[in-house]
Amino acid sequence: MKYIDEFREHSLAQQLANAIKQEADNNRTYRLMEFCGGHTHAIFRYGIQDLLPDNVEFIHGPGCPVCVLPMGRIDNAIELVEQHDVILCIYADLLRVPASLGKSLLKAKASGGDIRMIYSTQDALKIARDNPNREVVFFAIGFETTTPPTAVAIKQASEQGLKNFSIFCNHVLTPSAMQAILDAPEPVSIDGFLGPSHVSTIIGSQAYEIFAQHYLKPIVIAGFEPLDVMQSSLMLIRQLNTSRHQVENEYTRAVTRTGNVKAQSLMNEVFCLRDEFEWRGLGLIPKSALKLRANYAQFDAELRFQLPAIKASDVKGCECPAILRGAKRPVDCKLLGTVCTPENPMGSCMVSSEGACAAYWSYGRLRGARTNKLSA
Amino acid sequence: MTKTGDIRQSRTNLDIRNGQVNLSHGSGGRAMAQLIASIFVKHLDNELLRQGNDQALFNVEAGRMVMSTDSHVITPLFFPGGDIGSLAIHGTVNDVVMSGAKPLYLSAGFILEEGYPLAELEKIVISMAAAAKQAGTAVITGDTKVVERGKGDGVFINTCGIGVVPAGVNISGNRAQAGDAIILSGSIGDHGVAIMSSRENLQFATTIISDSASLHNLVADMLDVTKDIHCLRDPTRGGLATSLNELAAQSAVGMVIEEQKIPIKSAVRAACEILGLDPLYVANEGKLVCICPAEHAASILTTMQQNPLGKNAAIIGKVISDDNHFVQMNTAFGGQRIVDWLAGEQLPRIC
C-alpha cells in the first residue's frame, strides 16, 4: 500500500535501531513520554521496544480520549438513554467503558436503550433527520482531531433547523493535559515528549513551544507509523544529548507550525472554553475542555436535559489514573490480567484500543514472559 | 419444512414475484405446504427431501461420522460474492470437512420474518441449492418458522451437516505438536471486509468480494498427499488470530507466525487501515488453517497451491512449546508481539 508500507519498512527500521543504539548514551536513561494512544498502540503492535536499547524507555501518556473520560460522564450518557429515552449516537470505543454500579453503555443497549454506533457526525445528523419525533444526542468525544467535525455538525444542524439534535460535549484539549502532567504536585520524570500527531494537524506544532521553552523539555511531533515513532525517538535522543529543548516536527507530511487555520476558526466559532473539566487520572483541569458557545446552546444536551455533574469513583485498586499520568505502568497495577482483562475491563485503559493496558495486554506481555516478569 | 403429506401436489397459487412471507406460511397449513413445495422443494429437490416426512431416512456407511451445526444471521443478506443461502451451505460444509470428512447431507431450518419478499427468499434458496450441489451434498430435511414483523431480520438460517471420516484420518484441534508447520490456504479478511463495505455507510471505491466457498475439494486434495494432518480449522468469526489461539489452547502449545508470510489483498489491507481494524481478526468464509508435521508441509502446500481455493496458500509459521500458549508474531517491522484472543468486537478507532 503506497504511503503505508514505506513507513513500516523493516530495513529502515533496522537502520534507525542501529542509529539509536549508537547515539543513546549508555550512562543515562531516556524517558520518553509518547503522548497519544496511537503511539502506544504502534509501540506494542510493531514490537518497537524490542528494537531499542534498554535505557530508552517509553512512558505512556494520557492521549486517549476514551481513557481520560471520567466515569461520571458515562453515567450521564446512560441517564440520557434510560431516563430521557434519547437515541444516543456514539463512537463504538465507548461501548464497554465501565460506568458506576457495574454499568456500561453496552449493558444499557442490551437492556433496550437506543444506542447507535456511528462512524461520523454526519451519521448522527441523518439519524436525527430520519427520526423527527425522537431526541437524538451525539456523544461528542476526542481531542482537537475530532472537534472540527462536531463543529460542522452543529453548524449544519443549525442551518437545517434540526430541533431534535444535540451533543453531549466531551471535547478536551491536548496542551492542557501536557501542562497538567508537567505541573503535577509529584511530577513524573520525563525527559521528552513524542508529541501528538493527528491533533497537531489541527493545532500546529507551535502549540507546544511554550512547554519546550518553559519546562525545558524537548518535544518531537511524531506520526503514528512505527518508523515515525522510531525516527522521533532518535530526534529526541539527539536533542537530549545536546541539551536542546525545542519543538521539532517529524510529521512534516501532515503537520505545519500553524496547523489547520480553517479548522481552528471553525472550532472557535462553535465552541468556547469551559472553566474547568474533570479528567480521569489528572483531576479537574482549568480551561482544558470545550463547550458550545451561547449562540449554539440549544444544541447542548447538558442544558437541554439538565444533566447533573456526577462524581464517580474508579474501581478500587484500578491504577488507570496513575497510568494516565505516566506515574505508573500497566504492569504496576495489581488488577492487570487478574480481574482486569479486555474481556472484563475494570478501567478505561483496558477498554480502549488506544489504552496503555489494552495495548500492553494484547501485544506486549510477551516481553514479560520472556524475562519472567511483567515489564512493559 | 415437511409435515405435508404429498408435498409435490401443493405447488399452487403462490405469487412468488409479488408475494411476501406472512404468518400463515409458518402455520402448518396449506399456505406453508405451498411455500415448501414452491420454493424449498422445487429448488433443493432430491430424493430424500421428496420423501416428505418429518425426518429423512437414509443408509449409513460404516466408520466414523461427524455432525456440525451453524446458524446464520448475517446483515446484509446479499453481499459481494455471496448471500446468506450459499454462506449457510459453505459454513456448515466447511465445519464438517475440517475433520477431514466427506460431507454427505445437510438440514436447513429457516426462520422467516413476516413481510419478507418471496422473490428474495427464492433467490436465497436457489443460491443454497447451487452451493449444496457444488459441494456434493444435499439438503434432505428442513423446517420453516415465521416470526412477526420486527421480530427477525428477514431470514435466519440454521444448518446442520453430517459427513463420513475416511479411515486413517485423525484431525483434531488438540493434536498440534511442537515443530509442526502452520499453513494458511489464502488471503485473510476478505469476507469480513466485504460485509462491512456493503453496509450503507461504508462504501469503498474497490469492491471487495467475499471468499465464501466450500473447501471439501481442497481438504480432499490435501488428504490425498498424506492422512497425517494434525489440525484443520476454518478461521471464520474472529479471523486467523482466533483460530490460532483456539488451537494453541486446545493443544497446549505455543505458535510463532511471520507477519510477512500472511497473504492479504491490498484492498483488504487498505480498508482495515481506514477502519482501524486488524485483519488478523477479520472473518473469512473460504479459508483454512492446516497444522501438520513439518516434513509434510512442502508437499501439502504444493498441492494446495494447485487448487483454485488454495492458490495463495503459504506456510506462515510453526508450533512451539510454550506453557503460556501464546501465539507470537514476528512483525514485518522487525519486532515481536502477541497475537491475542479478540476482545469484544473489533471497532473502528475514534481518532
Side-chain angles (χ1 to χ4, degrees):
Chain A
M1 259 183 308
K2 190 138 183 72
Y3 309 125
I4 294 289
D5 293 342
E6 293 88 338
F7 297 100
R8 299 176 187 177
E9 226 283 309
H10 174 67
S11 61
L12 284 173
Q14 286 303 323
Q15 289 176 36
L16 277 169
N18 291 336
I20 289 170
K21 278 175 188 149
Q22 283 176 359
E23 297 193 35
D25 182 349
N26 291 332
N27 297 314
R28 62 160 298 174
T29 55
Y30 298 85
R31 290 172 55 81
L32 313 179
M33 175 173 272
E34 86 276 6
F35 191 89
C36 286
H39 292 137
T40 308
H41 191 79
I43 288 163
F44 283 115
R45 180 173 177 180
Y46 296 99
I48 291 173
Q49 192 75 65
D50 291 337
L51 303 173
L52 303 183
D54 288 343
N55 60 333
V56 177
E57 182 185 349
F58 290 115
I59 302 160
H60 315 309
C64 159
V66 173
C67 302
V68 296
L69 188 74
M71 199 184 274
R73 303 294 282 183
I74 299 287
D75 291 346
N76 284 144
I78 291 171
E79 179 186 329
L80 280 170
V81 172
E82 292 183 343
Q83 294 179 31
H84 299 282
D85 194 32
V86 308
I87 298 174
L88 183 70
C89 298
I90 64 166
Y91 294 135
D93 296 45
L94 288 164
L95 264 181
R96 296 187 303 124
V97 179
S100 300
L101 306 172
K103 289 185 174 182
S104 69
L105 288 167
L106 188 67
K107 289 175 182 173
K109 187 173 189 292
S111 301
D114 197 343
I115 298 171
R116 309 204 188 172
M117 286 166 280
I118 59 167
Y119 293 93
S120 80
T121 54
Q122 295 305 302
D123 294 343
L125 286 175
K126 184 175 186 301
I127 289 167
R129 286 193 296 268
D130 292 347
N131 295 273
N133 298 320
R134 296 282 308 279
E135 285 286 344
V136 175
V137 179
F138 169 57
F139 195 126
I141 182 173
F143 291 100
E144 294 89 337
T145 325
T146 54
T147 309
T150 305
V152 169
I154 291 294
K155 287 193 69 173
Q156 289 176 326
S158 177
E159 289 159 7
Q160 294 165 15
L162 272 179
K163 301 216 181 304
N164 64 326
F165 177 79
S166 58
I167 68 164
F168 179 46
C169 186
N170 294 274
H171 286 302
V172 288
L173 302 174
T174 318
S176 311
M178 195 173 276
Q179 184 162 354
I181 286 169
L182 290 165
D183 285 342
E186 297 173 9
V188 177
S189 169
I190 298 166
D191 294 318
F193 287 92
L194 293 169
S197 56
H198 291 171
V199 162
S200 302
T201 63
I202 305 296
I203 66 174
S205 61
Q206 67 181 358
Y208 309 98
E209 289 170 1
I210 187 172
F211 300 110
Q213 292 158 7
H214 183 72
Y215 297 94
L216 309 182
K217 300 289 183 190
I219 297 167
V220 176
I221 309 300
F224 282 144
E225 290 299 325
L227 283 182
D228 289 320
V229 174
M230 291 189 72
Q231 175 67 33
S232 302
S233 301
L234 180 59
M235 290 165 74
L236 280 173
I237 288 165
R238 285 175 176 167
Q239 281 207 54
L240 290 163
N241 286 349
T242 53
S243 300
R244 289 183 293 123
H245 41 83
Q246 298 164 336
V247 176
E248 291 180 326
N249 182 12
E250 182 276 339
Y251 197 34
T252 52
R253 63 189 186 273
V255 172
T256 62
R257 183 169 178 275
T258 53
N260 185 333
V261 177
K262 189 174 181 181
Q264 292 168 27
S265 162
L266 189 65
M267 286 160 58
N268 287 331
E269 181 187 346
V270 174
F271 295 102
C272 59
L273 284 173
R274 291 177 187 259
D275 291 337
E276 60 181 10
F277 193 74
E278 185 190 353
W279 294 55
R280 180 177 287 202
L282 301 172
L284 282 170
I285 305 179
K287 313 288 186 193
S288 65
L290 300 173
K291 65 178 180 180
L292 288 168
R293 287 191 181 276
N295 52 330
Y296 290 110
Q298 70 269 33
F299 297 107
D300 188 337
E302 285 178 75
L303 299 174
R304 187 177 295 195
F305 299 100
Q306 299 184 320
L307 295 177
I310 299 173
K311 181 73 180 164
S313 301
D314 283 304
V315 173
K316 192 177 176 192
C318 171
E319 296 286 8
C320 277
I323 290 165
L324 288 164
R325 290 195 301 275
K328 291 192 174 178
R329 301 167 305 161
V331 290
D332 298 324
C333 181
K334 291 187 175 69
L335 304 188
L336 182 84
T338 52
V339 294
C340 184
T341 63
E343 291 76 21
N344 184 40
M346 293 290 113
S348 54
C349 294
M350 187 59 95
V351 175
S352 170
S353 60
E354 307 277 307
C357 297
Y360 173 80
W361 189 251
S362 296
Y363 298 133
R365 64 188 196 274
L366 186 62
R367 287 173 60 80
R370 271 203 226 113
T371 56
N372 259 340
K373 64 183 176 61
L374 289 171
S375 77
Chain B
M1 192 187 288
T2 54
K3 312 177 182 67
T4 55
D6 188 349
I7 56 178
R8 284 167 297 174
Q9 294 179 12
S10 304
R11 265 171 58 186
T12 56
N13 300 331
L14 193 70
D15 182 1
I16 294 175
R17 181 182 293 183
N18 303 304
Q20 295 177 320
V21 171
N22 62 54
L23 292 175
S24 69
H25 289 131
S27 66
R30 188 185 304 277
M32 187 166 105
Q34 288 176 344
L35 177 74
I36 290 168
S38 302
I39 293 183
F40 295 119
V41 176
K42 177 183 175 184
H43 296 295
L44 297 170
D45 189 34
N46 59 74
E47 189 179 345
L48 295 176
L49 184 65
R50 248 182 277 123
Q51 291 170 354
N53 295 319
D54 287 352
Q55 65 295 116
L57 181 68
F58 54 89
N59 296 323
V60 294
E61 300 180 35
R64 295 166 301 153
M65 298 192 76
V66 292
M67 181 169 80
S68 180
T69 186
D70 204 352
S71 297
H72 306 275
V73 294
I74 193 168
T75 303
L77 297 172
F78 295 86
F79 50 85
D83 57 72
I84 191 172
S86 58
L87 182 72
I89 300 295
H90 296 154
T92 298
V93 165
N94 289 343
D95 284 344
V96 168
V97 303
M98 290 307 117
S99 66
K102 176 183 185 295
L104 292 178
Y105 301 126
L106 298 161
S107 70
F110 285 80
I111 299 171
L112 308 176
E113 185 181 9
E114 179 186 24
Y116 191 71
L118 291 174
E120 298 292 296
L121 177 62
E122 186 175 45
K123 279 189 211 167
I124 289 167
V125 176
I126 289 170
S127 171
M128 232 176 150
K133 185 178 179 184
Q134 187 266 333
T137 61
V139 176
I140 59 171
T141 185
D143 182 56
T144 308
K145 294 287 188 296
V146 178
V147 295
E148 292 170 11
R149 184 185 286 273
K151 300 279 177 72
D153 201 2
V155 178
F156 296 147
I157 304 175
N158 171 268
T159 43
C160 178
I162 58 171
V164 175
V165 183
V169 172
N170 182 16
I171 295 170
S172 175
N174 63 358
R175 294 199 61 226
Q177 299 169 19
D180 282 357
I182 304 169
I183 308 176
L184 176 66
S185 67
S187 62
I188 58 168
D190 298 15
H191 178 73
V193 170
I195 296 301
M196 280 191 289
S197 65
S198 61
R199 288 180 179 161
E200 185 183 3
N201 56 354
L202 287 176
Q203 296 290 344
F204 297 111
T206 306
T207 300
I208 296 164
I209 306 293
S210 168
D211 58 348
S212 180
S214 290
L215 298 167
H216 54 294
N217 285 336
L218 182 62
V219 172
D221 290 349
M222 292 161 69
L223 288 169
D224 283 344
V225 176
T226 175
K227 289 190 168 63
D228 191 14
I229 290 174
H230 291 165
C231 315
L232 289 175
R233 187 68 46 103
D234 57 334
T236 52
R237 277 173 308 161
L240 175 66
T242 298
S243 288
L244 294 179
N245 275 286
E246 287 171 354
L247 294 170
Q250 275 182 269
S251 297
V253 293
M255 295 181 187
V256 179
I257 59 173
E258 305 292 330
E259 186 175 28
Q260 282 179 296
K261 301 276 179 66
I262 298 169
I264 178 166
K265 291 175 180 154
S266 58
V268 171
R269 274 188 68 198
C272 288
E273 283 293 333
I274 289 167
L275 296 168
L277 301 176
D278 187 338
L280 289 170
Y281 295 90
V282 178
N284 312 274
E285 286 292 348
K287 299 295 185 304
L288 64 80
V289 174
C290 167
I291 295 180
C292 65
E295 62 266 28
H296 300 316
S299 51
I300 289 174
L301 178 68
T302 302
T303 298
M304 289 172 77
Q305 289 171 336
Q306 290 163 356
N307 184 302
L309 295 177
K311 64 178 186 293
N312 296 317
I315 298 171
I316 61 166
K318 63 184 179 185
V319 179
I320 60 168
S321 296
D322 178 6
D323 291 342
N324 291 308
H325 310 157
F326 285 155
V327 178
Q328 306 172 28
M329 184 164 79
N330 292 323
T331 71
F333 193 68
Q336 267 198 326
R337 69 157 164 112
I338 285 180
V339 177
D340 204 1
W341 293 88
L342 176 64
E345 286 288 315
Q346 272 220 113
L347 302 167
R349 291 161 48 182
I350 64 170
C351 73

